[in-house]
Amino acid sequence: MLRKAEPFKIKMVEPIKLISREERVRKLKEAGYNPFALRAEDIYIDLLTDSGTGAMSDRQWAAIMMGDESYAGSRSFYKLEEVVKRITGYKYILPVHQGRGAEQVIFPNIIKNKGDYVLNNMHFDTTKAHVEIAKGRAINLIDEKAFNTDKYDDFKGNFDLDKLERFIEEHGVEKIVGIVITVTCNSSGGEPVSMGNIKGVRRIANKYGIKVFFDSARYAENAYFIKQREEGYNNKTILEIAKEMFSYGDGMMMSCKKDGIVNIGGIIAIKDDQELYTNCQSSMVPLEGFPTYGGMAGRDMEALAVGLEEALNEEYLEYRIEQVKYLGDKLMDAGVPIQYPTGGHAVFVDCKKICPHIPYYQYPAQAVCNAVYLAGGIRAVEIGSLLLGRDPDTGTNIESPLELMRLTIPRRVYTNRHMDVVADAVIEVFNDRDKLIGLEFDYEPKVLRHFTARLKPIKI
Ligand code: P61
């Protein structure tokens, strides 16, 4: 069968270079053994995140020229609003500067009392942070199968519906202000949530009268998985699947830096709750900006309106998901333990299995990330106990159920040849895994510590 290539050709290039190993050793030490502190120019292949790192199309760049920079009532806003309404079926649309902009507007408007609960399959770190800043409590209720990395399951982002209902019964419905469904579930591996599970959440929410929101940063990738894996969806378009999914929610937040394929931007969309909409509208003015730009330039809204359409294209999604799988397969063939099957935006390497000799409080996945930088100039990111931080009540280090190194693939940026180089470096580290050593803090920030922490290898 004829193989499929990337569904685009390259019109503009940005040079990258690999600095020497000695330089990488020095740069990593200067960065306090924290790849976040590395300069991008010292990185060969940057797999830190797929957020805002995608390549825009010629059509998006062309749309940028059409941006209407009017402070109020920008034409570009109405264009974006029309596209988002068409995808979600929701009535009220507010642009924000990025995902956490949406979070800082929404959560204080739904969390009424200290200690109110927000339930999620798995909160991403900024989402959890904003729930907690609003004095709420962020609870993860993902199905345990997500933690069994080597066992295949079609939908490792699913809620455990029994646990969800039990939690509501035990803690009282009056204390639960919302259920957030994160699609795909970033923290479990970019793993999808099935439509059946989404419907199940909706059923429970209806029974108790709780609102449902989507954290829809990667909703198009989730819709693609539903089309591929769930019965009854194979003949539907990605747009039809996305629309059905949103029909089970009351609102959505979106970091458009992912499936909007833009470098900056975000959205809040609310189905029909006028009170919530007007409350969000009022709070976004001092936080984000006037409701028809909300932290985005007119040109950014134009690029986003086009990017949202492009991300729903099935050929693009096929390429995207296949590239992630391509890297995952290479690693698995060499025996590297990964979250299996691969999800939508990254390969998650199971570092608990790679270095069982490093305890969680010495950050095994961070040790692997650092070694991969030294091996190939590749930047990955730790998703484990370093990211998870400390218990806000007791101050103790929380042990993450998974210690993962995320190799996050930007959209339309790297070719599979780049993926080959990444695989080589990771396999080299894997084959030498007994030499890896854990890390301790030189400096530990109080919140979101992984961004600016300084670490050092422990002395043995
Ligand atoms: C990421 F190292 N994700 O995965 P914003 N919801 C979800 C996200 O994945 C998400 C946001 C909300 C990032 C960026 C990132 O510690 C980190 O547009 C499911 O980034 O504000 C972001 O959207 C927030 C990387 C965020 C990090 C925090 O790479």
Side-chain angles (χ1 to χ4, degrees), residues 36 48-52 97-103 122-127 182-187 215-218 253-258 264-266 345 381-383 387 406 408 448 450-451:
F36 270 108
L48 182 73
T49 178
D50 63 325
S51 183
H97 82 282
Q98 61 182 91
R100 65 201 78 179
E103 291 161 359
M122 213 163 170
H123 287 85
F124 195 62
D125 61 353
T126 56
T127 326
T182 305
V183 288
T184 56
C185 182
N186 189 358
S187 311
D215 179 343
S216 40
R218 300 178 181 87
M253 301 162 275
M254 180 171 180
S255 166
C256 298
K257 300 170 73 172
K258 287 85 168 172
I264 195 75
H345 65 296
V381 68
E382 191 256 18
I383 308 262
L387 177 87
R406 189 181 72 174
T408 336
L448 296 177
H450 57 292
F451 282 127

